[in-house]
Amino acid sequence: MKSKYILLIGSLMAIVSTGCQKQPATVRGLSPEESLATFEVAEGFQIEQIAAEPLVSDPVDMEIDEYGRLYVVEMHGYPLDKEGSGSVKLLEDTDGDGKMDKSIVFADNLVLPTGVMRWKKGILVSDAPDIWYFEDTDGDGKADVKEVMLTGFALANPQHNVNNPLLGLDNWIYLGHEPAATAKVYTDYFSDRGSDVYFPAHADGPKLPENALGRSVRFNPDKVLLENLSSQTQFGHTFDPWGRRFLVSNAHHIYQEVFKDRYLRRNEALLISNTIESISDHGNAADVYPITKNPEHQLLTDVGVFTAACGITSYTGGLFPSIYDRVTFVAEPVGNLVHADVLRDRGVTFTASRLFEKKEFLASTDAWFRPVNLYVGPDGALYVVDYYRQIIEHPEWMADDVAKSGAIYNGIDQGRIYRITPKGTPKLNWSNRLKLGDGHLQEWVDHLASPNAWWRGHAQRLLVDRKDKAAIPLLEKLVGSAESPLARLHALWTLHGMDALTSEVLIQGLHDTEAGVRENAIRMSEDRFLMKKSAETDRVVAELIKLKNDSSPKVRFQLLASLGFVDTPIAAKTRKDLLFENLDDRWMQIATLSATPFGEDNLLEEVLQRSRPGDTQYASLIERLSNLTGATGNMPTIKLLINRALVPGNTPHWATAALAGLTQSLRNRAADKNTLAPERERLLATALNSPDAALRRSAMNLLRVIGLPENEGTADAIAKAVANLQNTALDAEKRAESMELLTISGPEKYVEILQNLITPAEPISVQSAALNALSSIPDTTVSGFLIKRWASLTPSLREQAIGTFLGSEPRISQLLDALEAGVVDPSVISWPRQVGLMANGNEHLRNRARDLLADKNASHQEVIKTYQEALTLTGNPENGKQLFAVHCAMCHQIGGKNGVFYGPDLASIRNRRPQSIMADILNPNLSIADGYDIWNIELKSGETLQGLIASETPSAITVRNYGAVERVISRNEIHALTAMGVSVMTAGFNQLIDKQQMADLLSYLRQSE
């Protein structure tokens, strides 16, 4: 019941799936002249075509340099040709009519190039596994210098490859990047996982392991610096004028990188589940409004919502009306449109709202219009890079008959670039006519005040490259006197890039009237913290402290994050002040906890004193701080915290949160039982006698980690627990809690008692607890029992029961025996668990599971055929809603509602053809939504987990399991992490609903909002 969200970022070569043989295109789309008439652009704007075939084809990115030379990246090899068909072309308008009429191949023999950026006297081109530097030294328009700047990135499916190099305000080069996709069909072509990422010219330089950990990267070639970023993006990323970075990925058309990797690295014990924030107020998989006539969509393509968002670009050109100064554009090639959002401040982050209601900034009636990237030029125009193809889907997830047909090659020799400007704007006049590169220092400094970021950025780059000391006083004067805040901003970063930023000038920036300048000046001050301590450092810190009451939340957040590097009493006090004054913002909490700890700075103590009952913000902070306390391994401090939390007769309101934090951190740390002996006794007394159910559970969970006391009191407690279990008059919750004690102490002594509790006559909570206790016995006792009792197990218990079989190979073998014998029906095994069985590490078990569970294509086609009648029946959406709640809501939501956020959101499914929806319902193995692969995680403790990776940071991953249960796991705990290369959803819906119910479900899915 889900579809693959595809971002196709390059040109589709005519390549058959066996042998990579190139084929000629058989059908062409509209001519360049005809396609220009298909557009609807926002009122007040005009669109013109500046380049088209035969000068250019398969364009995926562009760059205009300081001389007005237009570089266009052509990716001809997509999807399967890795023989070096990609190129970079130089385009020129020789007659001044505003259209390119000359083309030269600047660089060729590229594999699957994905981006271009001006650098030094040449260009950088991303082409996995490499980042190339090309330069033309003899003026013939062709590169004769060809050097690999970086290497080691995975050469996988091009939609996941490293892409779009961008020069940041901070003079670092940023690369879009995400983990390599696991090929399931074309494994021979795209199974590369990457290697160490490094500078080939500097073998002893920095290295990033394993495809840069699948995260975005920034590097500085001049200083040989290379760093991971804290987030990942698919194809494209952008900066607003103040250097804040925004990302994109298929259905998620805009999200912000909020917390930086360099801050997380200060405190590896801090487990953070996410460093990004989705900022769209119209949701992920948001509705879009195409105007396409006769749209070309394949079986697994969603329409009417974002499914292929890419090429995100902040408008920074200064030519459009002023509201566009806060607009971010996103390309949507499946919908044949370009979307626009207005960004508004929301505390530390932003909210992105539609610029237009129920319409788009740009849309085309031509189904072959495929915008994949955007660019803001020196004239302030928005340039649209049009991939122009009939079919944009990748054959990895396409219907087999279409993938093997010649149709996927249609339009292979076409491609266009468009220019959007306000009506009345003259034709472009920059082609090979700019002289910025030949300018003098004052001219470059003056351009830092331009309203167009193209001029500001290139001028800053040229000044930093030249490093002419004569520019320093000019730049310092600009910092102090420029009317434009952006001029002051760029002057500061230019001085910083030239290693010429003095403390005096930096302090000017710290007290600038513009919040964005202050925010950036704080970032620049970090260099001084990381150098040897000096009077200058103290002076800068003193000025920073003055900003703690700044009116801007973004300034306060940056101050808190940056002060985490400062190890002084005044910095520690300022961090506390900022925390307590902004406690309701989780990013402020995270920034505080990421700081380098200062001496005996007992933040936890102060938080405990300030907290109040029922305050959830303080509770979350206490849990995080207690987690950090446990992670230090300081046993006296741990003992003190436990004892303070368990004061007899006067338990503090924060006790539950504190114990929960300690449990998480001590789970994988060996604790000295003798050292914690008194604390274990108190925990047991609390677990048995506290009137607070949440506190009882927290105490018992911690005892699971550190063990029960070894004394007569424990024996008496266990005996009482056994009596409680058999007392049916006792409250069910209390009986279930008694089961927890037996589980910790050794349930193998109580097998018969536990088995007798698993009966329909008992409350489900008691049965569930008994089953958990039985399952903790490390043999096949529970498996044999369940198979014998299977017929009497209620549906609500069977899902849990299936889970008990998956803990060991002998248990799995017994489950497969039961499946083979017909005792257990495959339909009762949820799709994530079927995946686990079919991807088992034991080859014999894996093959048995696949024989029993994997879909047989012929039989599924027969099932689909028998359900065709459902497409002719009138469905009742109300009945369908009930069916969705029973059969689908356990894994899926629709637009973020009416279900559990585990599998893909089905908001877009209403836009698909009924026959396509039904085919996926009956045979969901047809596709896997991007990002919903199941992973196998082996922990160093011996525990094995399976689930979706919901999010990840440099220090932790969040694993989401069935029912949307999440667990944050430190990377230090992980022994091995493996993607399971099988389909994650299984069939069996035909056994659950009849044809009329199918019609009802289709009716509901098609009309759901």
Side-chain angles (χ1 to χ4, degrees):
M1 294 182 61
K2 49 191 191 295
S3 296
K4 180 71 183 179
Y5 296 131
I6 303 298
L7 166 64
L8 187 138
I9 57 173
S11 149
L12 193 55
M13 280 297 291
I15 303 164
V16 298
S17 61
T18 56
C20 283
Q21 179 182 353
K22 297 179 182 179
Q23 302 287 349
T26 56
V27 176
R28 291 172 61 83
L30 299 178
S31 69
E33 296 75 21
E34 291 170 329
S35 65
L36 192 56
T38 68
F39 289 106
E40 288 185 7
V41 66
E43 186 176 353
F45 289 87
Q46 62 190 21
I47 182 169
E48 55 193 313
Q49 192 177 87
I50 70 156
E53 69 273 5
L55 290 181
V56 66
S57 60
D58 306 340
V60 296
D61 197 14
M62 61 177 280
E63 171 74 298
I64 302 168
D65 74 7
E66 62 271 24
Y67 293 100
R69 293 177 296 211
L70 171 59
Y71 300 85
V72 178
V73 175
E74 298 181 323
M75 190 203 293
H76 299 300
Y78 192 93
L80 301 174
D81 177 16
K82 297 192 295 183
E83 296 179 356
S85 59
S87 64
V88 179
K89 281 186 176 176
L90 266 175
L91 302 186
E92 181 180 353
D93 170 20
T94 62
D95 58 11
D97 67 351
K99 291 186 177 181
M100 304 298 136
D101 49 56
K102 181 180 177 181
S103 175
I104 299 176
V105 177
F106 182 78
D108 56 9
N109 296 318
L110 300 174
V111 183
L112 293 163
T114 56
V116 59
M117 188 198 93
R118 178 66 166 171
W119 180 246
K120 302 297 184 183
K121 296 180 180 180
I123 56 172
L124 295 178
V125 175
S126 52
D127 183 29
D130 305 317
I131 305 298
W132 286 91
Y133 175 70
F134 296 114
E135 182 182 333
D136 169 22
T137 62
D138 57 14
D140 65 354
K142 298 181 180 181
D144 46 79
V145 174
K146 303 177 182 181
E147 299 175 354
V148 175
M149 181 82 69
L150 281 180
T151 192
F153 295 100
L155 175 54
N157 187 315
Q159 61 186 297
H160 301 278
N161 287 349
V162 62
N163 62 83
N164 284 276
L166 292 178
L167 184 61
L169 263 177
D170 56 4
N171 305 298
W172 287 67
I173 299 165
Y174 288 72
L175 301 172
H177 191 223
E178 67 175 359
T182 302
K184 298 175 176 65
V185 179
Y186 297 95
T187 55
D188 291 342
Y189 296 102
F190 297 121
S191 294
D192 179 33
R193 309 304 296 178
S195 60
D196 287 353
V197 174
Y198 64 99
F199 293 97
H202 301 277
D204 296 330
K207 289 182 172 63
L208 301 178
E210 303 171 17
N211 190 34
L213 302 175
R215 302 204 307 274
S216 292
V217 167
R218 72 171 189 164
F219 68 105
N220 187 317
D222 291 339
K223 299 180 179 180
V224 195
L225 299 175
L226 176 64
E227 294 181 358
N228 261 126
L229 301 180
S230 64
S231 61
Q232 60 190 47
T233 190
Q234 190 161 19
F235 187 75
H237 52 147
T238 193
F239 294 98
D240 75 0
W242 305 101
R244 300 153 189 144
R245 186 166 176 259
F246 300 92
L247 316 169
V248 66
S249 180
N250 281 346
H252 300 171
H253 73 282
I254 183 168
Y255 53 100
Q256 181 183 355
E257 180 185 87
V258 182
F259 206 69
K260 309 301 181 187
D261 178 74
R262 62 183 178 274
Y263 304 141
L264 287 178
R265 290 198 302 265
R266 296 183 300 218
N267 191 347
E268 293 184 357
L270 178 63
L271 299 183
I272 302 300
S273 62
N274 221 333
T275 60
I276 62 170
E277 185 165 306
S278 178
I279 63 174
S280 169
D281 66 1
H282 39 298
N284 297 324
D287 287 347
V288 292
Y289 298 94
I291 61 172
T292 317
K293 295 179 180 178
N294 302 314
E296 180 71 43
H297 299 120
Q298 299 310 301
L299 177 64
L300 306 181
T301 301
D302 297 323
V303 294
V305 297
F306 273 112
T307 67
C310 59
I312 185 169
T313 300
S314 290
Y315 180 74
T316 55
L319 177 67
F320 290 9
S322 60
I323 190 173
Y324 285 87
D325 293 341
R326 296 180 284 118
V327 164
T328 297
F329 293 103
V330 180
E332 171 46 82
V334 166
N336 320 111
L337 56 86
V338 174
H339 178 80
D341 282 322
V342 180
L343 268 59
R344 296 182 174 87
D345 285 306
R346 182 170 60 86
V348 169
T349 59
F350 292 88
T351 295
S353 305
R354 297 181 188 278
L355 181 60
F356 303 106
E357 286 299 322
K358 298 191 175 181
K359 62 181 297 187
E360 302 299 342
F361 177 77
L362 177 69
S364 173
T365 59
D366 183 4
W368 290 34
F369 171 58
R370 306 296 190 183
V372 296
N373 226 330
L374 305 163
Y375 184 89
V376 179
D379 51 359
L382 180 70
Y383 290 86
V384 180
V385 179
D386 178 10
Y387 177 60
Y388 206 77
R389 286 291 176 272
Q390 179 185 9
I391 296 175
I392 200 168
E393 288 81 358
H394 188 286
E396 177 79 27
W397 299 280
M398 194 180 294
D400 197 48
D401 57 337
V402 179
K404 292 181 178 180
S405 75
I408 62 172
Y409 313 130
N410 293 342
I412 193 170
D413 55 351
Q414 296 180 274
R416 291 87 193 260
I417 297 174
Y418 296 96
R419 176 180 185 250
I420 299 176
T421 55
K423 284 183 176 179
T425 303
K427 61 190 177 185
L428 72 84
N429 61 0
W430 47 257
S431 178
N432 274 27
R433 292 171 176 83
L434 300 182
K435 303 300 180 183
L436 178 63
D438 297 328
H440 51 77
L441 293 180
Q442 185 63 62
E443 181 182 351
W444 290 346
V445 171
D446 291 344
H447 278 302
L448 297 180
S450 171
N452 185 342
W454 185 94
W455 292 91
R456 298 195 304 270
H458 279 290
Q460 177 176 325
R461 176 180 59 80
L462 291 167
L463 286 162
V464 172
D465 281 350
R466 178 150 324 169
K467 284 187 167 55
D468 190 329
K469 293 183 179 179
I472 294 174
L474 303 177
L475 292 165
E476 291 179 340
K477 180 180 179 182
L478 198 65
V479 171
S481 63
E483 181 179 346
S484 165
L486 290 171
R488 303 194 296 270
L489 173 71
H490 279 269
L492 283 165
W493 275 118
T494 303
L495 287 166
H496 187 274
M498 296 172 63
D499 297 321
L501 181 60
T502 64
S503 296
E504 288 78 6
V505 176
L506 174 60
I507 290 169
Q508 279 185 271
L510 290 174
H511 299 295
D512 195 276
T513 57
E514 177 66 41
V517 176
R518 299 195 299 275
E519 179 185 348
N520 277 270
I522 295 169
R523 285 179 57 195
M524 294 178 219
S525 70
E526 292 174 5
D527 290 348
R528 284 162 169 76
F529 308 156
L530 301 177
M531 295 187 299
K532 186 176 180 180
K533 191 176 186 303
S534 66
E536 286 298 303
T537 303
D538 293 341
R539 180 185 175 197
V540 172
V541 170
E543 297 299 325
L544 284 170
I545 301 302
K546 297 176 183 178
L547 298 176
K548 73 175 185 177
N549 295 317
D550 196 281
S551 60
S552 167
K554 291 177 174 61
V555 171
R556 297 196 301 273
F557 170 69
Q558 186 59 59
L559 177 63
L560 183 52
S562 296
L563 280 178
F565 289 114
V566 183
D567 187 12
T568 65
I570 186 62
K573 181 182 183 303
T574 303
R575 291 197 298 264
K576 286 182 183 178
D577 292 343
L578 284 163
L579 170 66
F580 292 129
E581 290 166 8
N582 302 273
L583 193 64
D584 58 342
D585 192 317
R586 68 186 179 102
W587 295 113
M588 298 294 279
Q589 288 194 24
I590 291 169
T592 302
L593 300 185
S594 74
T596 303
F598 168 71
E600 298 300 320
D601 174 27
N602 194 347
L603 177 60
L604 176 58
E605 176 62 31
E606 193 161 348
V607 170
L608 295 180
Q609 294 296 328
R610 288 172 175 258
S611 67
R612 296 292 180 267
D615 191 323
T616 57
Q617 298 297 338
Y618 269 103
S620 67
L621 182 56
I622 290 167
E623 184 170 339
R624 285 184 174 131
L625 283 165
S626 300
N627 189 326
L628 288 175
T629 298
T632 65
N634 186 319
M635 201 54 63
T637 304
I638 294 170
K639 289 168 62 69
L640 178 62
L641 182 58
I642 295 175
N643 287 321
R644 290 188 62 189
L646 302 179
V647 177
N650 189 25
T651 302
H653 61 273
W654 47 260
T656 299
L659 296 183
L662 285 172
T663 299
Q664 186 175 14
S665 58
L666 294 177
R667 183 179 286 118
N668 292 289
R669 176 180 288 276
D672 187 334
K673 292 186 176 182
N674 293 326
T675 301
L676 292 175
E679 288 71 33
R680 287 186 289 151
E681 292 183 14
R682 286 193 174 186
L683 285 165
L684 181 58
T686 300
L688 295 175
N689 304 315
S690 173
D692 185 336
L695 182 59
R696 293 198 303 270
R697 286 192 296 271
S698 288
M700 192 67 77
N701 287 337
L702 185 50
L703 285 170
R704 280 179 176 272
V705 173
I706 65 175
L708 292 169
E710 297 173 357
N711 54 30
E712 292 184 5
T714 299
D716 292 342
I718 292 172
K720 184 177 179 180
V722 172
N724 287 344
L725 291 180
Q726 298 172 310
N727 183 0
T728 57
L730 197 63
D731 177 74
E733 183 178 7
K734 191 68 176 177
R735 295 173 69 201
E737 288 179 1
S738 296
M739 219 92 63
E740 292 290 316
L741 187 58
L742 297 191
T743 302
I744 300 173
S745 67
E748 59 277 355
K749 300 187 290 287
Y750 312 101
V751 169
E752 184 176 354
I753 294 173
L754 295 171
Q755 289 179 345
N756 289 337
L757 293 172
I758 303 176
T759 170
E762 289 284 0
I764 190 63
S765 60
V766 172
Q767 293 188 67
S768 177
L771 184 52
N772 279 334
L774 276 178
S775 182
S776 68
I777 302 173
D779 58 20
T780 59
T781 299
V782 68
S783 306
F785 167 75
L786 289 173
I787 291 170
K788 291 178 183 178
R789 289 280 187 92
W790 191 260
S792 65
L793 296 181
T794 60
S796 58
L797 201 62
R798 285 188 172 186
E799 176 65 29
Q800 180 185 353
I802 290 295
T804 68
F805 285 99
L806 306 180
S808 69
E809 291 183 0
R811 291 187 186 184
I812 292 173
S813 183
Q814 287 192 327
L815 175 59
L816 297 178
D817 290 343
L819 286 166
E820 200 165 37
V823 176
V824 177
D825 191 275
S827 64
V828 304
I829 305 177
S830 64
W831 63 264
R833 289 187 168 151
Q834 291 204 23
V835 169
L837 290 167
M838 292 188 289
N840 191 276
N842 182 301
E843 183 178 4
H844 173 68
L845 295 178
R846 180 172 67 247
N847 291 336
R848 281 193 70 195
R850 291 185 180 190
D851 288 341
L852 292 166
L853 298 173
D855 67 308
K856 306 297 188 290
N857 189 59
S859 63
H860 281 302
Q861 290 301 320
E862 188 62 32
V863 169
I864 293 171
K865 184 177 179 180
T866 63
Y867 268 75
Q868 290 300 304
E869 180 187 345
L871 299 175
T872 66
L873 300 176
T874 301
N876 184 320
E878 285 301 316
N879 292 342
K881 183 177 183 179
Q882 296 178 25
L883 289 165
F884 181 89
V886 172
H887 299 295
C888 310
M890 66 189 72
C891 288
H892 299 284
Q893 294 180 329
I894 297 179
K897 303 175 183 177
N898 304 325
V900 174
F901 176 47
Y902 181 46
D905 194 299
L906 303 183
S908 64
I909 206 168
R910 65 181 179 274
N911 299 296
R912 298 179 58 216
R913 296 170 292 182
Q915 57 267 39
S916 299
I917 301 173
M918 187 176 75
D920 273 356
I921 291 173
L922 295 171
N923 183 13
N925 284 312
L926 284 170
S927 61
I928 309 172
D930 193 26
Y932 289 92
D933 300 62
I934 298 295
W935 292 76
N936 190 76
I937 303 105
E938 298 176 34
L939 301 184
K940 294 176 182 177
S941 64
E943 183 181 2
T944 298
L945 306 172
Q946 291 176 352
L948 307 174
I949 295 182
S951 62
E952 59 179 318
T953 67
S955 60
I957 64 172
T958 299
V959 178
R960 181 181 298 136
N961 284 299
Y962 190 72
V965 176
E966 293 188 349
R967 175 172 168 183
V968 180
I969 301 173
S970 169
R971 291 187 184 274
N972 293 331
E973 299 177 35
I974 298 173
H975 171 67
L977 183 66
T978 309
M980 298 180 169
V982 296
S983 175
V984 297
M985 195 168 182
T986 57
F989 238 74
N990 59 304
Q991 301 175 35
L992 302 175
I993 63 175
D994 59 28
K995 297 181 182 66
Q996 181 58 57
Q997 290 174 316
M998 175 65 76
D1000 296 341
L1001 182 57
L1002 290 173
S1003 177
Y1004 170 66
L1005 292 173
R1006 293 272 291 167
Q1007 61 91 51
S1008 294
E1009 293 291 341

